[in-house]
Amino acid sequence: MRFFKGQAQARRYTLWLVWLYVAALSLTVAALTWAVGLFLREDAGALQYGLIAAAWSALMLGASAWRLRELSGGGEVVAEALEGARLYAPASAAERRLMNVVEEMALAAMMPVPKVYLLPDGSINAFAAGTTPANAVIGVTRGALQQLDRAQLQAVVAHEFSHIANGDMRLNMRLTGWLFGLQLITVCARWLMFGTDLLDYRQKGRLKPRRDTSANEAEAAVAGCMVSLPLTFLGGLLMLIGGLGNVLAGWIQAAICRQREFLADASAVQFTRQTEGMVGALHKIAVVPRQRLHSWHAAEYAHFMFGSIHEPDIFDKLAATHPATIERIRRLSPFRARQLADEIDHAAAGGMQYEGWLGFAQVRREASWADAEAEALENEHEARAAAMRRRIEAFRPGAATRSAAWQRTAPRAWRSAAGDGERLPLLAGLMLAGEMDVPEALRQQWLLHNPLRQDTLARLVQHMPAPADYIDTLDEMLPQAAADEMLAELWQDADAAFTANEQPTLMQACVWLLLWVYAGAKNAEGQGGGVQGDAVQIAAFTAEVLAAPLQTASVRLPQQRWQNIQAALNDAAALPEPERRRILADCIQIAEASPDLLRAQIWLYTLRVAWDLPSEAV
């Protein structure tokens, strides 16, 4: 896709549409002035008409200014109106993935990381709102979090970042305020027709019917209409003219948003450097049974959303805030649009085969099944991650405390990558390949499937943690790897990186050995080594690596030496538990005399994991 050309065309078209919007406001004021002029004397001059037009303009602009002031609080106003909850400390793997994707796209867009809100809705949607990048927020529905894969979620978040970068969210906030000025005409019309204001501005800037209007008030309103027929006629005229202006403004607003959606799609391709993620997200929105965005303010903020908030009907064709999904895909990839056109058309026709409450129940039932399956998958991921955390805590008491400390002190790039399965191989490779000395073959392998890893790798190398923090980093990585069922893959990448390191350090070897056991690569049968030989070799090695003074903690040992120790650990793991306890007890006595307590604790932790001896077993 020629997205730079598409960006320029969308910006030029948007400028014309803004002028048309201003023209619609002027036309509405002119129509209101003409309506009032019907009640003036025939000799009324231009001054009177000018004053009337100025009054209407001041009223509409004042209402818009008041609404814009309400929205000046930033994107949080919109997010809270849509019942979103801000994500501070993600509680699930899906939420952590969302936070990681937002941070990654902020890096790609060279923008600060905005606040992230999660909307409790089963539909697939997202939005960006705010007046400046400083108070911008990105909101994602739980349905998008559950039904989109990582590449699709990345494309959707990149789409919202493009709205921030291109100034769309600020334009959307202004359009919301301008539209409120036109809505005020309808409020005034109802006041003239019924003698009372039936609308009440309530929390979060929403106009909605006053629920506590009594029957006596309604009767009084009817009586007022009968007595004040001229005002009733004027109110009806204002309702017609104001409604016409509102519809015209809504059409122009929708046209602006449609072009901006094309621009955002093009910019998302620029940020992610691939089109398949965006095409996949749009395809899934088109074919998955959609649910209406369940929020009292959904219609008011429809132009903020990534996709349409409900299935379009005949009245939405002119005022649709989003272009047709197949057209958006065609702008990205004409070839993929031809492939998916029949499926999307069939899905759209399938949504029309049920009518009324039967159709609503069918769609809701299918959507509930999809939500239940997605929730079960997420619970399964969480169960695997929780099981890994419990396993780590069993071998290394206090792991939760160390995890909290690591979250406070570790470099931000490493904290983000440790919770992202896509970037875990980079962390393992950097720790095991020799800090800054990464072989070029490994670097090319890491960057093969994801060009964005180039920037990520540069940040990780720039903020390398101390070798003493490697084990804490690994403990943070393992639950995410277990949840994504990628422990075997992570072990393969780590083993390749470690093997390429001719003289690894003790910290690197411990990471390698721990991954070897946690990933299930250890041979439970052992190699048939003698009990005494294994005990002597492991005890002698323990004394060697722990007797060195603190300043030699980075001393490297030959690769073959670590391979021999791995074989000895594997042999000893096949021994009866009392024998394993005895060997470990000998190593603990040696560790107690070590001048470097941290290295001693990490080595003992490695031995416990290799021999399946939880801390309480010694």
Side-chain angles (χ1 to χ4, degrees):
M1 177 183 181
R2 299 177 180 177
F3 50 81
F4 287 114
K5 181 179 179 181
Q7 291 173 359
Q9 291 178 347
R11 289 191 182 98
R12 287 194 298 269
Y13 189 47
T14 297
L15 182 61
W16 282 104
L17 290 174
V18 170
W19 283 110
L20 289 176
Y21 187 85
V22 173
L25 292 175
S26 302
L27 179 63
T28 303
V29 171
L32 290 170
T33 303
W34 170 82
V36 176
L38 296 178
F39 296 90
L40 298 179
R41 295 181 303 178
E42 295 182 357
D43 59 348
L47 178 60
Q48 288 83 353
Y49 282 98
L51 291 175
I52 294 172
W56 282 118
S57 299
L59 180 63
M60 296 168 62
L61 292 176
S64 296
W66 176 74
R67 187 71 179 101
L68 288 171
R69 183 179 178 184
E70 292 290 320
L71 295 173
S72 64
E76 294 183 0
V77 177
V78 178
E80 292 174 0
L82 294 174
E83 302 177 6
R86 184 179 175 185
L87 289 181
Y88 289 96
S92 65
E95 293 175 1
R96 285 194 296 273
R97 183 185 65 173
L98 172 61
M99 297 295 290
N100 291 330
V101 166
V102 171
E103 292 179 357
E104 185 175 324
M105 287 299 98
L107 175 63
M110 294 184 292
M111 298 178 61
V113 180
K115 300 174 183 177
V116 181
Y117 280 77
L118 185 62
L119 276 59
D121 196 274
S123 61
I124 302 176
N125 230 317
F127 72 92
T131 56
T132 65
N135 61 26
V137 305
I138 285 182
V140 178
T141 62
R142 185 166 294 278
L145 212 58
Q146 295 173 343
Q147 301 179 54
L148 299 182
D149 61 30
R150 194 181 192 284
Q152 294 165 357
L153 182 64
Q154 186 183 66
V156 171
V157 173
H159 176 101
E160 301 307 327
F161 265 101
S162 69
H163 280 312
I164 301 175
N166 295 322
D168 298 344
M169 64 173 189
R170 185 177 182 181
L171 178 62
N172 287 337
M173 300 286 275
R174 290 180 174 179
L175 287 177
T176 301
W178 294 341
L179 185 60
F180 182 78
L182 293 177
Q183 291 175 336
L184 188 67
I185 304 304
T186 303
V187 176
C188 295
R190 291 181 179 181
W191 185 85
L192 290 173
M193 292 178 65
F194 300 107
T196 181
D197 185 7
L198 297 180
L199 297 183
D200 183 26
Y201 184 81
R202 300 232 174 143
Q203 294 180 351
K204 303 176 184 176
R206 176 66 180 178
L207 288 169
K208 60 183 181 179
R210 182 179 292 167
R211 297 172 182 263
D212 57 355
T213 303
S214 64
N216 293 333
E217 290 177 339
E219 293 175 0
V222 173
C225 291
M226 298 300 296
V227 173
S228 305
L229 289 179
L231 293 179
T232 303
F233 172 75
L234 178 59
L237 188 60
L238 291 180
M239 181 77 73
L240 177 63
I241 298 175
L244 177 61
N246 194 4
V247 170
L248 291 175
W251 287 349
I252 295 175
Q253 180 191 41
I256 294 175
C257 295
R258 286 197 293 267
Q259 291 302 313
R260 287 287 174 171
E261 290 303 314
F262 288 132
L263 172 60
D265 290 343
S267 298
V269 172
Q270 178 183 355
F271 291 152
T272 60
R273 305 180 189 179
Q274 51 91 19
T275 61
E276 193 56 35
M278 178 60 69
V279 171
L282 293 172
H283 172 237
K284 188 163 291 187
I285 288 177
V287 300
V288 172
R290 285 183 288 177
Q291 307 173 34
R292 186 182 183 92
L293 186 62
H294 294 90
S295 173
W296 191 268
H297 299 265
E300 184 178 2
Y301 299 113
H303 54 289
F304 285 81
M305 310 307 295
F306 173 77
S308 178
I309 63 172
H310 56 78
E311 296 286 354
D313 53 31
I314 189 173
F315 298 103
D316 293 321
K317 300 304 181 182
L318 291 177
T321 55
H322 295 72
T325 303
I326 191 62
E327 177 63 19
R328 295 174 69 177
I329 296 177
R330 189 191 67 80
R331 296 283 187 101
L332 295 172
S333 175
F335 175 73
R336 293 288 284 138
R338 286 194 298 270
Q339 286 183 325
L340 301 174
D342 291 342
E343 183 180 358
I344 292 177
D345 291 343
H346 178 73
M352 302 286 291
Q353 60 186 346
Y354 298 102
E355 297 182 358
W357 289 104
L358 181 61
F360 176 78
Q362 174 71 13
V363 171
R364 290 296 300 167
R365 183 167 57 254
E366 293 177 358
S368 65
W369 290 339
D371 288 345
E373 293 174 357
E375 184 178 358
L377 182 61
E378 183 178 350
N379 292 339
E380 184 179 349
H381 288 181
E382 281 302 305
R384 288 195 293 266
M388 178 58 72
R389 294 190 189 97
R390 290 193 298 269
R391 186 178 178 187
I392 294 173
E393 183 71 25
F395 293 111
R396 197 183 187 198
T401 303
R402 274 184 290 271
S403 174
W406 185 88
Q407 290 288 347
R408 294 192 303 268
T409 59
R412 179 176 178 179
W414 284 69
R415 294 199 309 268
S416 175
D420 181 10
E422 184 72 18
R423 290 179 281 179
L424 289 183
L426 297 183
L427 300 188
L430 286 176
M431 290 190 294
L432 295 177
E435 287 82 30
M436 305 292 289
D437 186 19
V438 180
E440 185 61 26
L442 287 176
R443 183 187 297 271
Q444 294 302 323
Q445 181 180 351
W446 294 342
L447 304 179
L448 179 62
H449 302 293
N450 191 341
L452 283 177
R453 279 185 172 182
Q454 180 66 52
D455 298 330
T456 303
L457 182 60
R459 291 188 65 193
L460 294 175
V461 172
Q462 183 181 1
H463 302 285
M464 284 290 298
D469 295 331
Y470 284 0
I471 303 301
D472 291 336
T473 303
L474 178 64
D475 287 347
E476 291 295 319
M477 297 164 51
L478 288 172
Q480 184 64 44
D484 294 342
E485 295 184 300
M486 60 173 297
L487 283 170
E489 177 186 351
L490 184 62
W491 159 247
Q492 293 176 357
D493 293 338
D495 188 48
F498 185 78
T499 304
N501 188 355
E502 296 181 356
Q503 290 188 321
T505 64
L506 175 64
M507 294 299 104
Q508 292 171 332
C510 288
V511 172
W512 175 62
L513 292 171
L514 288 170
L515 268 174
W516 168 58
V517 180
Y518 279 125
K522 181 171 66 69
N523 182 8
E525 297 298 328
Q527 303 299 323
V531 177
Q532 188 63 25
D534 293 333
V536 172
Q537 183 178 0
I538 294 171
F541 181 80
T542 301
E544 177 183 352
V545 296
L546 298 184
L550 181 61
Q551 60 268 24
T552 62
S554 61
V555 169
R556 300 174 181 269
L557 297 178
Q559 175 70 225
Q560 186 58 44
R561 186 69 181 279
W562 293 114
Q563 299 290 343
N564 293 338
I565 290 300
Q566 182 191 43
L569 290 175
N570 194 63
D571 288 343
L575 299 174
E577 183 176 340
E579 295 297 334
R580 284 179 279 147
R581 290 188 184 184
R582 183 182 62 80
I583 301 174
L584 182 59
D586 293 340
C587 294
I588 291 176
Q589 290 181 358
I590 298 173
E592 290 175 349
S594 172
D596 191 339
L597 184 60
L598 177 60
R599 282 192 301 154
Q601 291 176 344
I602 291 176
W603 178 244
L604 293 176
Y605 168 44
T606 305
L607 294 181
R608 290 190 181 99
V609 175
W611 294 335
D612 194 21
L613 293 175
S615 298
E616 63 270 16
V618 179

